Amino acid sequence: MHAPLYQTAINIAAKAAFYLSLAMLLPAAVDLFYGHPNWRVFAGSAFATGGLSLLAIAATQGGSPLFSRKMGFLVVNLLWIVVSLVGAVPFWLSSLKLDFAKAFFESVSGITTTGSTVISGLDHAPPGILLWRSVLHWLGGIGIVALGLFVMPYLRVGGMSFFKMESSDTTEKPFARIVTFTRAFILIYVVMTVTCTIIFSYLGMSRFDAINHAMSTVATGGFSTHDASLGYFNSLPILWVATFFMTLSSLPFSVLILFIVRGRLDTLKDPQIIVFLSYLTALAIAASLYQRIVNGVSAHEALAHGFFTVSSILSTTGFASDDYMLWGEFIVALAFAATFMGGCSGSTAGGMKAYRFIIIFNSIRAGLFKLIYPNAVHTVRYGKTLVDIDVQRTVFMFFTAYMFIWAFGSLAMGAMGYDLVTAVSAVATALSNVGAGLGPIIGPAGNFSTLTDPALYLLSLMMLLGRLEILTVLVILTPLFWRD
């Protein structure tokens, strides 16, 4: 690989690191406002990482080579690693006394909007740290949508622009004017966050709690300012509001933009939206009925907690309203299955995503049809769009790699001494960027603080793999990628 590619990739990553260092001034100001000495940590971290970033930018200035797929893979991987390292600095140097493995894990969990945490005693944590976690979520959410809509489709490893929306007017296609589309996305993202903040405040949250939880909700992240997560507020209306915004943020932002900005009702017929909302509703009703019939919970409370919990897992947010491990084995099994499913492509949600299930189902159906009628032609479609063989192959590659990595990671966790439930659920929740796992250690009532450093590094890698659609990372590990 030629040197200019490295130079350009480092330059782009350094610029992202510099902007992230500027964001550290916000929690520094909050700590200063509340009189917490931790503001010096954020100010010093901003100065140090910002200075190093500027040096790297200056050292890598120069003519950029033409953007290629190889450069895209390199830039994406380097960008997320560098941003995760920079985000870890305030955690590492803060009064929380986290070692670097824990600080890096918290940063990766934030920037990938996973929501797993190693911090105990959130109710008494420095306000700047709490806000920094939410800021990482919120900025990570923007990066994730941009990644899914603009970068991944170009790299041919994911993203729904494989299936461009049909329109007789080319100016209405979401990718006709990227600058206009990006502005619309950021505006809608901000408006959703502000609206969610206002409603949370109206329902009884403090301003600080409302801001933090709104950023986590819209980014489908899951970091809370309390150890009990949203269960701390003991409010069903808050759960319903969070459910609405988590579900909304799990839908493709390209569809939301075309619907809100252009009034395109036809975009809501996107098959992945229908499939996602269908399995969300089915699982939520099943959980609610189980709570009502088996555990004797009132209908309203069962519906609120059922829809909230299922939406939290499917949107890969990871908020908790209660310890659903105590609800019954059926709920535990349901939560584990939902961990793999995820939301829609082009959203802040993680997981396997609904559009892949559609393609896998239709591919299997076409294959079975071919076994019965060998000479017949049976195409694979996504709605009305024909899915070409390359897309089918990429989807099955992702699914196979996902299951293989999950199995390998689970074995590695088992080799480190963790029980089966903790091992398999920890890797699953990391790969799907969900947040909470299963069991007494990392379940909805626990956290990841007692895990060893090797386990935290492994799960950090899994979170990055899952967020970068796995294949994006695997491709740079092949020797062929590094050949000129």
Side-chain angles (χ1 to χ4, degrees), residues 20-355:
L20 188 60
S21 70
L22 293 180
M24 294 178 188
L25 298 178
L26 183 60
V30 169
D31 270 340
L32 187 61
F33 175 80
Y34 282 101
H36 198 286
N38 212 58
W39 71 267
R40 297 184 181 88
V41 170
F42 282 103
S45 298
F47 179 79
T49 57
L52 290 174
S53 300
L54 287 176
L55 288 175
I57 292 170
T60 54
Q61 288 286 10
S64 299
L66 292 176
F67 191 81
S68 63
R69 191 169 295 172
K70 181 175 285 190
M71 180 190 290
F73 283 117
L74 183 62
V75 167
V76 167
N77 281 275
L78 185 60
L79 184 66
W80 284 77
I81 292 172
V82 168
V83 168
S84 297
L85 289 170
V86 171
V89 174
F91 293 123
W92 187 36
L93 300 178
S94 73
S95 57
L96 298 176
K97 305 299 182 183
L98 302 178
D99 62 25
F100 189 76
K102 287 184 170 62
F104 184 68
F105 177 91
E106 195 78 10
S107 177
V108 172
S109 182
I111 207 70
T112 60
T113 71
T114 300
S116 303
T117 185
V118 294
I119 301 176
S120 301
L122 292 172
D123 301 76
H124 308 291
I129 286 291
L130 297 176
L131 182 61
W132 181 237
R133 297 162 83 239
S134 301
V135 167
L136 288 176
H137 266 348
W138 198 79
L139 294 177
I142 293 177
I144 288 160
V145 174
L147 200 69
L149 291 179
F150 304 127
V151 181
M152 294 304 190
Y154 174 79
L155 302 179
R156 302 291 289 177
V157 292
M160 282 305 298
S161 70
F162 283 135
F163 316 105
K164 290 183 170 62
M165 297 177 188
E166 297 296 330
S167 172
S168 57
D169 181 2
T170 57
T171 61
E172 290 188 353
K173 290 185 178 180
F175 302 100
R177 296 179 180 178
I178 292 180
V179 173
T180 302
F181 181 77
T182 303
R183 288 174 181 169
F185 156 60
I186 293 176
L187 178 61
I188 290 174
Y189 194 77
V190 171
V191 169
M192 286 173 59
T193 307
V194 172
T195 304
C196 189
T197 301
I198 293 172
I199 298 175
F200 277 156
S201 297
Y202 176 78
L203 293 176
M205 284 190 186
S206 67
R207 292 179 184 174
F208 185 75
D209 280 344
I211 291 171
N212 280 275
H213 285 95
M215 286 195 286
S216 290
T217 302
V218 172
T220 62
F223 278 155
S224 176
T225 54
H226 302 281
D227 288 329
S229 191
L230 288 188
Y232 171 86
F233 301 99
N234 193 28
S235 169
L236 296 186
I238 286 179
L239 297 187
W240 281 116
V241 170
T243 299
F244 172 78
F245 279 99
M246 287 188 297
T247 303
L248 187 64
S249 295
S250 300
L251 304 181
F253 270 86
S254 58
V255 169
L256 294 179
I257 290 169
L258 288 177
F259 173 67
I260 294 171
V261 176
R262 299 186 183 274
R264 289 277 302 277
L265 291 173
D266 60 301
T267 60
L268 299 180
K269 297 179 182 179
D270 187 333
Q272 68 170 330
I273 294 179
I274 297 171
V275 169
F276 167 68
L277 293 180
S278 295
Y279 62 62
L280 187 155
T281 303
L283 292 176
I285 290 177
S288 301
L289 287 175
Y290 186 88
Q291 277 282 77
R292 178 76 181 100
I293 296 171
V294 177
N295 295 330
V297 178
S298 67
H300 185 201
E301 186 175 352
L303 284 171
H305 285 278
F307 271 87
F308 171 82
T309 300
V310 171
S311 178
S312 179
I313 297 172
L314 289 179
S315 66
T316 67
T317 304
F319 281 141
S321 61
D322 194 9
D323 185 2
Y324 52 76
M325 293 290 296
L326 304 177
W327 294 0
E329 294 303 319
F330 172 74
I331 301 296
V332 175
L334 183 150
F336 183 63
T339 297
F340 295 91
M341 299 170 76
C344 298
S345 179
S347 71
T348 55
M352 291 189 182
K353 299 187 174 70
Y355 87 94

Side-chain angles (χ1 to χ4, degrees), residues 39 216 269 312 370 429 448 461 473 484:
W39 71 267
S216 290
K269 297 179 182 179
S312 179
K370 192 75 172 175
T429 195
F448 291 70
L461 173 61
V473 180
D484 290 336

